[in-house]
Amino acid sequence: MNRLHKAMKKNPEASQKKLAEILGVSPSRVCKLLRKSADRYGCGHREGPRDSGD
């Protein structure tokens, strides 16, 4: 995860796909690492079931 954070700092405008290329991993792995990081540091957003309002 440390490599991901360094890549994000060096390439702040990079997409997940570009970050994956930089790190030599799949885009889905980058997504999982970002979610793990958000969970760990409390900076992510998790959607629960939507309330239909009825």
Side-chain angles (χ1 to χ4, degrees):
M1 212 177 315
N2 201 19
R3 287 177 48 214
L4 175 59
H5 289 176
K6 286 180 182 179
M8 289 171 65
K9 282 186 179 184
K10 286 184 178 182
N11 305 281
E13 299 296 319
S15 65
Q16 287 184 13
K17 183 178 179 182
K18 182 63 178 173
L19 290 169
E21 290 174 13
I22 292 167
L23 298 173
V25 299
S26 69
S28 63
R29 182 68 179 145
V30 171
C31 184
K32 288 177 187 175
L33 289 170
L34 290 171
R35 276 190 270 145
K36 185 176 179 181
S37 176
D39 288 345
R40 174 182 263 176
Y41 298 108
C43 58
H45 174 72
R46 287 186 159 211
E47 275 191 47
R50 296 199 183 238
D51 185 358
S52 63
D54 294 333

